[in-house]
Amino acid sequence: MNITDQTVKNVVLVHGAFADGSGWRGVYDNLTDRGYRVSIVQNPLTSLEDDVAATTRVLDQQDGPTILVGHSWGGTVITEAGTHPDVAGLVYVAGISPDSGETTSKQYEGFAPTPDFVIDVDEQGYGFLTRDGFKVAFADDLSAEDAAFLRDTQVPINMSVFGAPVSEAAWRTKPSWAVYGTADNAFDPEMLRSMAERMGAPITTVPGSHAAYISQSALVADVIVTAAEKALVNAS
């Protein structure tokens, strides 16, 4: 594929809770093979402010319009960080998308619980997904070996982040797209659909778990390419 002048060439990928940036490898390889410049944020998962700062540092390194992509909790991060002037569009991959003044935790209200998604919280207030339940909760469509690697490299998150409000929702002014797995055991898929519809985001569903950004990396990359091709057109 030849990237045209009308296509955004930069992509920044933001991971969510209980993970790091390495899960984006399949999406990274797919997009770089297609000519995109791709950068991956490593969130500290210590606060919304810290994760937004980490994302902003990477955005500051881009050389022009950028598609900002967030998985899960990373959706909240891109909602706040996406007001950056270089962000041309947003892609939510099973991503949370609070409105201005809303918290992440508010997005769960009124939707079905996900009993397989169990978090152990330590004395410092940091949460880990339980070892025994990790595969079903997060990566049910990955091999046992790949799910075990994700489990054993998970990054704990400061649970207080879910109560931090977004100051300004970037999706209110930036074109947005949403993609998520139909077998997500971390979030009620109806919650993901509802948030996407509120944003006015085109929705793509894929046959995958909460880790569909890994198991269905080619399809997720296709959505990002669509955003890159249409973001500037939509803004013109």
Side-chain angles (χ1 to χ4, degrees):
M1 183 195 74
N2 294 320
I3 296 178
T4 69
D5 291 340
Q6 198 69 31
T7 299
V8 178
K9 68 177 182 178
N10 299 315
V11 177
V12 171
L13 306 172
V14 181
H15 68 82
F18 317 109
D20 66 10
S22 63
W24 286 115
R25 182 59 188 267
V27 172
Y28 173 91
D29 288 345
N30 185 298
L31 293 175
T32 55
D33 285 349
R34 294 159 87 164
Y36 290 89
R37 173 188 171 182
V38 184
S39 302
I40 299 175
V41 176
Q42 295 287 6
N43 283 325
L45 302 181
T46 47
S47 70
L48 175 58
E49 181 181 11
D50 290 347
D51 287 0
V52 169
T55 301
T56 300
R57 281 191 289 272
V58 175
L59 288 170
D60 286 342
Q61 298 300 308
Q62 306 308 303
D63 60 2
T66 301
I67 298 299
L68 184 59
V69 184
H71 173 251
S72 194
W73 157 253
T76 297
V77 177
I78 70 169
T79 297
E80 181 82 14
T83 57
H84 190 286
D86 284 344
V87 174
L90 305 165
V91 177
Y92 290 81
V93 184
I96 301 290
S97 55
D99 203 349
S100 303
E102 290 183 351
T103 65
T104 298
S105 60
K106 179 176 175 56
Q107 309 315 304
Y108 295 82
E109 294 176 2
F111 295 99
T114 49
D116 293 318
F117 198 81
V118 181
I119 304 170
D120 280 338
V121 182
D122 67 16
E123 294 179 354
Q124 288 75 45
Y126 281 81
F128 293 81
L129 288 182
T130 58
R131 287 183 58 84
D132 291 345
F134 185 94
K135 187 179 189 304
V136 171
F138 195 97
D140 205 25
D141 56 346
L142 299 185
S143 69
E145 293 79 11
D146 287 343
F149 180 80
L150 284 180
R151 177 197 68 205
D152 295 338
T153 58
Q154 67 173 298
V155 181
I157 189 165
N158 185 335
M159 297 297 289
S160 68
V161 304
F162 301 119
V166 166
S167 62
E168 181 182 354
W171 55 261
R172 284 288 180 187
T173 57
K174 306 287 177 82
S176 302
W177 287 260
V179 54
Y180 57 86
T182 54
D184 194 316
N185 290 327
F187 299 151
D188 178 358
E190 282 299 301
M191 181 181 80
L192 295 168
R193 180 187 60 77
S194 177
M195 289 187 295
E197 289 179 348
R198 180 172 69 168
M199 291 190 292
I203 298 171
T204 300
T205 58
V206 298
S209 70
H210 195 59
Y213 71 113
I214 300 173
S215 63
Q216 299 291 339
S217 59
L219 295 178
V220 170
D222 285 345
V223 175
I224 296 169
V225 168
T226 296
E229 292 173 344
K230 294 185 176 181
L232 294 180
V233 175
N234 289 355
S236 62

